[in-house]
Amino acid sequence: MTATALSLVDSARPARAVIPARHWRWTQPALVIVAGVLMLGVVRPAVFDLRVFTLVVIYALAAVGLNVLVGFTGVVSIANAMFLAVGGYAWARLADAYGPGIALVSGLVIAVVLALVLGLLLLRLEAYYFAVATLAVGSFATVVMRNWTSVTNSDAGIIGLGYLPVPGLTAVQSVFFLGIILLAFALYFQETLRTSSVGLALLSTRFDAPGSQALGIGIAQSRIIAFAFSAATAALGGALMVQLTGGAFPDQFSITHSISLLVIPIIGGRGWRWATIVGALVVIALPEYFRFLDEYRLVAYGVLVTLVALFVPGGARQLVTWMDTAWRRGVSHLRRKTTSTSGAPA
Amino acid sequence: MRHPRTGRSLALVLSLLAVLALAACGTSDDRSEGATTTTAAKGAGEPIVIGVDLPLSGPSAGAAERMKKAFELLAAEINANDGVNGSEIVLDIQDDGGDPTTGVALIDRFNQAGAVAIIGTYNTPVVLAQSDAILAAKIPQLAFAIGSSIGEKQNPWVFQTGPTDKGQIDGLIEYFKANKITKPAILTDTSAFGTGAKPVLEAAFAEAGITPALNDTFAVDATDVSPVLLKAKQSGADAVVVWTVGPPYAVFATGAQQVDLGIPIFGTASAADPNVAKLAGAAANNIFFQNSIDPQKPAVVEVSNAWADEFDGTVPAEAFSAHDILTIIVDGLKKVGNDREALRDYLDTYTSTSLLAGRQGGTFEFTPTNHVGLGGGNTVWNKYVNGEFTVITVK
Amino acid sequence: MEQVRERRVHGDHGQVTELAYFVVIGLGIGAVYALSGLGIVTLFTGSGLLNFAQGDLMVLGALTAAGVAGSGHGYVAALGAAIAVTGIAGLLLGGLFALPLRQRGFDIDVVVIGTLGVAITMTNLLGIWFGREPERIESPVASATIPIGNFFAPMHYALMLVGAVVVFFGMRLLMRRTDLGLQLRAVAAGVSAARDSGVRIVRMLIVSWLIAAVVGGAAGVLVASVVPVVPESATMLGVNGFSAAILGGLANPFGVLIGGPILGVTESLSGAYLNETVRQAVAPVVLLATLLLRPRGLFASRAKARTV
């Protein structure tokens, strides 16, 4: 960790080289929307495949904030299924009566407030204590979901939920479309954050905490902002999830789902702008197409998570970098060989 | 670095517009997918696909595995005997993990795979969530979840084997009345199973004029249930109704010994789970339940002997249920062929006295208004005595 | 239909025996939580890792022992088999986690996720290898009970307490009387100083995993006589182990031996005198309360917990 910080200080490169290009905040959402439209209009997948891709979009959306939390600030949270639940139950209870706008916004607001409260209480703890704390909060949230019958109807769940219809599209297509739009929004915020002063502050707390503190950046406050963002995107994802399923049950928001959410940015390459999309494809779509592995399917998932965490902590992005480096090395090696055979100095 | 003010205000404006636009919309409930579904292939000789949805990972995995084995055994037997009119049946067995989201996705998957019928699943919340998808896909579903809330949805494509929780509770109340039990303690587990049954229990007892001495809950994975049993004992109850699935009855059996309970425990049909005897041993005593299987029925004895080796001696009740379910579907396929609608119509008037479940001489029956095959009275009372359960005669 | 036998327990004597009964049950279960927590604390002090797979190691021990005992080999053989198998698992996992350490010193938050991956893998592998039916091991003190007033606490709860104490003293001996223990404590006190003193850090990491796994395995065998064990039991055992460890303080193994029973008794009494919902909430609430009020735990030693 400190090696990167030193290199930031030593090399004194111009800001341009360190701060990512600002065009991404427009181009990335645009690309996502185009891909979504192509998917619906041109590719037109069959019912099950479309459902899988919709779930991919939902998880990619829900994990954007967590990507910021884990990637920008280095904090691990195993509680985010709780925020999925907030968004989901808010939709379940409010959408039919008060309309989709109120339902989505309420879910988002409640989730953010909850995250702020929890963050204020817990984010002054050291990182690994916070991870354990989120494990406890997640367990406690499940107990609440099961017992707060007046709101959640406990394990019997709330069924017969409506979705936001898009004219000319079926139910699943509508949810897919809404998911793409919300994902585009979330990615816009992610990129804006990355190139803003707040985002740079967050990144510095991950790579060199004491240094950033010396610069006057409040570590706890930065982490709380990131945590709140992770709650916001998760709440939106949760609302979509119950729309897709047509029902809201505590079983949809368990620790397993928190772990899936966490694993998505890790496998994608935490902090990377494409992390949640790549990660969601691996975590959600792959297992559906690997069902031929039968009972070994989940074992393969666990092994993948372990290997990535231990050996490829940069996730898919790191693989891309490796391939890129290997390619460059190969090319320069070839170049050297051809120039040396022709007699010119390398 | 430029202050990205224009960018930020633009984003804010866009977000506000979006929210306003959303506020103006309503929600829709229509989940029909249009004419994108295909009917199953009708050629003779083509394998017939039956989708099987089981919770193979998660808490119900043990029972699900037993059912899976039984399905596979019977399918192999059927295929060895010329299959269905010459066509082989193929079971597409998938795991839903007890998660409603996955369960709903599996319906689409089975639809895409051309399944003619769907068998499953075990957990009531999943079946409830799948209801709309089944209606849209128009595939008949034969579920073994016992929630009576499933029947209340009146989905013409969904059938339940039964007995439902309401059916079992009706039988329970009948027993109580005949044996003068007036102050039962009601204990339900905190999972979907118990939570779903709680209101049904309360309503049924209220209707029958029985006031419970105690109404409490316990955790499915509780290591020790003596606290809640002690409360039951101290409430002056004359019986304890414990509503859970399988192995926890063993914990109750040992708990009853620890607090010297003294009064009988009444369980659900799943108390027949072989793990109860295995885990509690001789402590399993004075526990009553209604079994959907009568071990003395000749058909049951036959299958029991045939499958004894596969199941280490004792064939569990779920295996017999699985046998029945596949038999029903295959009988239908033999009559109407590889056609979803025709199969559904067949099931609507299905009746049989030769299935494994139910009393000797009892009838398993579906009608257009009743999609629960085994009625409440069509079960057999059993009692655990020193680690083994046997049929008892009731008044 | 049997006649209902009514037994009324009145007066203070009845109340006290009831309380005593629930305390005994709570202590017994708390002893198991303490062992689970001991594994977590050991691994933490030896490597800075929080082990989310501790519950799975316990279940591995329990199911191995159940298999051996079920084939008629007796309790001691079952315990031995469990320790051997979990020991091997510990060595394998230690070696696995040592690899990234060798290369560049690891990024702690990502490695923590590695233990989550191990937990997922193990839970599913256990289901495949041992099946998903619940297993139980006949206790060596099987039908004996401790009569407390009108109640009968199974003698095995006392055995669990004794077992936990024995394991703890074994650990204490290891830590204070052996060279290996000295090296482990050196690593816990400070990695660079230990490295400069010649301690092989990577080796200590593997040893920590080995100890955590074996302690977990033994705990699993003990708990399998009172609870039906399935692969999914790992979650409950793990969360309670974490609560006990945090409550006692991650830096000091002694703390967990107090933290575990406190947790167990609190759960038992909540279940007995309040209700089930409260009982289920005890472990996470205790953990959160500790983190909020006294993050270093009840028995924080003056030596700071290793930070990475």
Side-chain angles (χ1 to χ4, degrees):
Chain A
M1 288 193 280
T2 46
T4 333
L6 278 173
S7 69
L8 274 176
V9 166
D10 278 353
S11 44
R13 290 171 289 165
R16 245 179 303 117
V18 174
I19 300 168
R22 304 247 321 280
H23 70 82
W24 279 115
R25 74 169 84 167
W26 301 113
T27 49
Q28 191 186 23
L31 281 171
V32 163
I33 293 181
V34 166
V37 170
L38 282 177
M39 179 70 76
L40 283 181
V42 175
V43 176
R44 298 185 144 274
V47 273
F48 177 66
D49 299 322
L50 180 62
R51 191 175 279 274
V52 172
F53 288 128
T54 310
L55 208 53
V56 167
V57 169
I58 290 175
Y59 270 90
L61 165 64
V64 169
L66 195 52
N67 186 28
V68 167
L69 183 67
V70 174
F72 290 24
T73 65
V75 168
V76 164
S77 162
I78 320 176
N80 281 45
M82 177 173 73
F83 302 120
L84 282 178
V86 168
Y89 281 113
W91 180 272
R93 284 282 171 212
L94 301 174
D96 285 332
Y98 298 100
I102 304 267
L104 281 177
V105 171
S106 323
L108 195 126
V109 166
I110 298 175
V112 167
V113 167
L114 194 57
L116 288 173
V117 169
L118 285 171
L120 279 166
L121 286 174
L122 297 172
L123 274 165
R124 51 193 170 83
L125 296 172
E126 287 158 65
Y128 38 82
Y129 282 121
F130 181 72
V132 176
T134 58
L135 184 65
V137 171
S139 307
F140 188 67
T142 311
V143 174
V144 169
M145 269 189 271
R146 293 224 139 90
N147 289 286
W148 201 3
T149 317
S150 52
V151 170
T152 65
N153 199 20
S154 189
D155 278 290
I158 308 173
I159 48 180
L161 296 180
Y163 58 90
L164 181 63
V166 176
L169 296 181
T170 66
V172 178
Q173 288 172 335
S174 298
V175 178
F176 178 80
F177 188 70
L178 182 60
I180 290 282
I181 301 289
L182 289 175
L183 179 62
F185 262 102
L187 289 172
Y188 173 81
F189 279 108
Q190 180 189 256
E191 286 309 298
T192 314
L193 190 65
R194 188 194 302 272
T195 55
S196 74
S197 39
V198 178
L200 287 175
L202 290 179
L203 281 162
S204 69
T205 66
R206 175 183 156 198
F207 288 110
D208 191 355
S212 60
Q213 265 186 318
L215 287 172
I217 295 170
I219 306 228
Q221 286 93 305
S222 315
R223 290 175 174 179
I224 292 173
I225 295 175
F227 192 48
F229 186 46
S230 77
T233 57
L236 291 175
L240 286 172
M241 197 183 291
V242 303
Q243 287 180 48
L244 182 67
T245 314
F249 303 87
D251 286 328
Q252 292 171 294
F253 309 114
S254 65
I255 297 238
T256 318
H257 298 92
S258 279
I259 296 179
S260 300
L261 273 179
L262 179 62
V263 166
I264 286 176
I266 299 291
I267 288 190
R270 53 199 177 129
W272 190 32
R273 64 182 59 85
W274 299 105
T276 62
I277 295 177
V278 172
L281 281 169
V282 172
V283 172
I284 304 295
L286 269 192
E288 286 303 323
Y289 297 109
F290 272 57
R291 277 181 179 266
F292 62 84
L293 282 177
D294 270 343
E295 33 190 18
Y296 287 95
R297 192 168 60 106
L298 291 169
V299 173
Y301 171 61
V303 168
L304 178 67
V305 172
T306 314
L307 292 179
V308 167
L310 290 179
F311 302 113
V312 195
R317 181 196 205 176
Q318 189 172 353
L319 286 180
V320 169
T321 317
W322 280 348
M323 289 194 295
D324 188 54
T325 321
W327 174 260
R328 276 179 219 260
R329 257 195 231 134
V331 165
S332 70
H333 183 74
L334 271 174
R335 242 187 244 143
R336 243 179 283 136
K337 278 198 108 166
T338 50
T339 48
S340 64
T341 53
S342 67
Chain B
M1 195 174 64
R2 259 185 316 141
H3 205 55
R5 238 203 202 134
T6 28
R8 254 196 258 159
S9 15
L10 187 58
L12 219 57
V13 169
L14 276 173
S15 316
L16 274 170
L17 280 175
V19 172
L20 283 172
L22 281 177
C25 301
T27 57
S28 160
D29 242 328
D30 176 19
R31 285 177 191 275
S32 56
E33 293 289 331
T36 51
T37 61
T38 54
T39 48
K42 295 192 188 192
E46 290 258 346
I48 302 176
V49 179
I50 302 174
V52 180
D53 178 12
L54 287 167
L56 291 166
S57 57
S60 327
E65 291 255 342
R66 296 194 282 264
M67 296 193 83
K68 177 180 172 203
K69 195 178 212 163
F71 283 128
E72 287 171 338
L73 282 173
L74 185 58
E77 282 173 28
I78 292 172
N79 284 334
N81 285 332
D82 208 31
V84 170
N85 304 334
S87 304
E88 190 183 60
I89 54 168
V90 172
L91 297 179
D92 185 7
I93 302 180
Q94 297 296 345
D95 172 25
D96 66 19
D99 183 351
T101 314
T102 317
V104 174
L106 284 177
I107 303 298
D108 277 346
R109 191 197 156 91
F110 290 138
N111 191 2
Q112 212 170 289
V116 67
I118 296 176
I119 294 177
T121 175
Y122 197 84
N123 308 96
T124 302
V126 181
V127 179
L128 286 172
Q130 290 173 323
S131 191
D132 286 335
I134 290 278
L135 200 56
K138 296 202 174 37
I139 308 180
Q141 178 185 29
L142 185 46
F144 30 92
I146 73 164
S148 46
S149 42
I150 295 171
E152 281 162 24
K153 297 201 77 172
Q154 309 243 325
N155 187 332
W157 294 84
V158 177
F159 298 82
Q160 281 176 278
T161 50
T164 57
D165 44 20
K166 181 125 201 344
Q168 292 190 44
I169 294 168
D170 286 341
L172 191 67
I173 293 182
E174 209 182 290
Y175 187 97
F176 280 2
K177 291 206 157 130
N179 290 276
K180 313 252 187 310
I181 294 176
T182 53
K183 291 177 296 156
I186 304 180
L187 301 176
T188 53
D189 73 23
T190 49
S191 76
F193 188 78
T195 326
K198 176 79 94 183
V200 187
L201 278 163
E202 288 168 347
F205 277 114
E207 206 182 302
I210 300 179
T211 316
L214 174 72
N215 190 349
D216 210 340
T217 59
F218 60 92
V220 169
D221 55 2
T223 54
D224 177 55
V225 292
S226 44
V228 79
L229 278 176
L230 188 62
K231 278 190 206 162
K233 181 174 167 179
Q234 289 172 334
S235 67
D238 47 9
V240 184
V241 175
V242 176
W243 205 265
T244 183
V245 185
Y249 285 111
V251 184
F252 271 90
T254 47
Q257 278 193 331
Q258 283 166 236
V259 304
D260 196 18
L261 187 66
I263 50 179
I265 293 179
F266 286 83
T268 62
S270 68
D273 189 323
N275 284 303
V276 176
K278 178 173 107 177
L279 297 169
N285 200 21
N286 212 7
I287 299 177
F288 294 78
F289 63 97
Q290 301 165 82
N291 200 344
S292 55
I293 306 290
D294 181 349
Q296 287 155 3
K297 217 177 184 183
V300 175
V301 173
E302 207 185 300
V303 175
S304 212
N305 292 334
W307 284 2
D309 289 334
E310 301 282 352
F311 285 98
D312 291 328
T314 332
V315 182
E318 292 100 355
F320 293 121
S321 286
H323 189 286
D324 275 348
I325 293 169
L326 194 53
T327 307
I328 297 171
I329 301 277
V330 167
D331 280 350
L333 289 173
K334 284 185 180 160
K335 294 252 167 50
V336 305
N338 198 351
D339 183 326
R340 291 170 181 171
E341 269 228 45
L343 184 60
R344 192 215 76 83
D345 292 336
Y346 171 85
L347 287 172
D348 235 5
T349 52
Y350 179 84
T351 149
S352 166
T353 48
S354 55
L355 284 179
L356 302 176
R359 286 195 183 144
Q360 301 202 42
T363 315
F364 183 107
E365 173 177 40
F366 289 131
T367 66
T369 47
N370 171 35
H371 277 194
V372 178
L374 278 175
N378 201 354
T379 53
V380 181
W381 275 101
N382 279 238
K383 177 184 176 182
Y384 271 97
V385 179
N386 288 331
E388 276 187 36
F389 61 86
T390 49
V391 180
I392 54 171
T393 45
V394 296
K395 300 174 201 156
Chain C
M1 236 328 263
E2 294 164 14
Q3 289 289 29
V4 172
R5 280 173 287 153
E6 283 183 277
R7 286 194 182 204
R8 286 208 202 89
V9 178
H10 13 229
D12 287 337
H13 181 66
Q15 305 270 23
V16 170
T17 51
E18 187 180 308
L19 183 66
Y21 168 77
F22 286 119
V23 167
V24 167
I25 299 278
L27 284 175
I29 274 297
V32 173
Y33 296 158
L35 283 177
S36 171
L38 184 61
I40 292 174
V41 171
T42 311
L43 194 58
F44 181 77
T45 53
S47 70
L49 275 179
L50 282 176
N51 187 8
F52 288 107
Q54 187 67 23
D56 290 277
L57 288 166
M58 290 174 72
V59 172
L60 175 62
L63 293 178
T64 309
V68 170
S71 335
H73 288 101
Y75 196 79
V76 176
L79 185 61
I83 289 180
V85 168
T86 47
I88 295 173
L91 285 171
L92 285 173
L93 288 170
L96 182 67
F97 278 78
L99 290 171
L101 179 61
R102 256 196 195 122
Q103 287 164 16
R104 47 188 154 66
F106 44 60
D107 200 348
I108 196 77
D109 9 295
V110 183
V111 180
V112 153
I113 293 165
T115 61
L116 270 178
V118 170
I120 297 171
T121 312
M122 279 186 76
T123 309
N124 286 287
L125 274 179
L126 288 172
I128 295 175
W129 289 338
F130 293 99
R132 302 193 179 265
E133 305 289 359
E135 299 287 343
R136 193 164 180 275
I137 305 173
E138 194 68 35
S139 165
V141 294
S143 37
T145 54
I146 310 169
I148 304 176
N150 289 318
F151 314 117
F152 303 93
M155 183 67 77
H156 192 80
Y157 282 92
L159 186 63
M160 291 197 286
L161 259 171
V162 168
V165 170
V166 164
V167 170
F168 170 76
F169 274 111
M171 274 290 291
R172 204 177 161 79
L173 264 171
L174 180 76
M175 287 299 186
R176 297 210 180 268
R177 299 293 162 105
T178 66
D179 184 57
L180 187 66
L182 184 62
Q183 292 186 48
L184 283 170
R185 283 190 293 144
V187 169
V191 180
S192 16
R195 193 182 282 125
D196 294 340
S197 313
V199 174
R200 304 278 286 276
I201 303 294
V202 170
R203 200 168 288 187
M204 288 304 109
L205 174 73
I206 299 181
V207 169
S208 304
W209 268 102
L210 177 63
I211 296 177
V214 165
V215 166
V221 174
L222 282 174
V223 85
S225 293
V226 291
V227 174
V229 174
V230 282
E232 280 75 24
S233 311
T235 317
M236 181 268 285
L237 291 169
V239 171
N240 278 296
F242 265 107
S243 293
I246 299 274
L247 181 62
L250 282 175
N252 187 349
F254 175 68
V256 94
L257 199 64
I258 303 293
I262 290 181
L263 191 64
V265 171
T266 313
E267 280 187 2
S268 180
L269 294 179
S270 315
Y273 295 109
L274 296 171
N275 63 50
E276 181 52 37
T277 314
V278 176
R279 194 198 69 89
Q280 282 183 315
V282 167
V285 167
V286 163
L287 196 153
L288 287 170
T290 314
L291 286 175
L292 288 175
L293 301 171
R294 216 189 142 94
R296 297 258 177 239
L298 291 176
F299 297 97
S301 62
R302 254 173 280 136
K304 214 162 96 84
R306 171 190 160 136
T307 51
V308 182

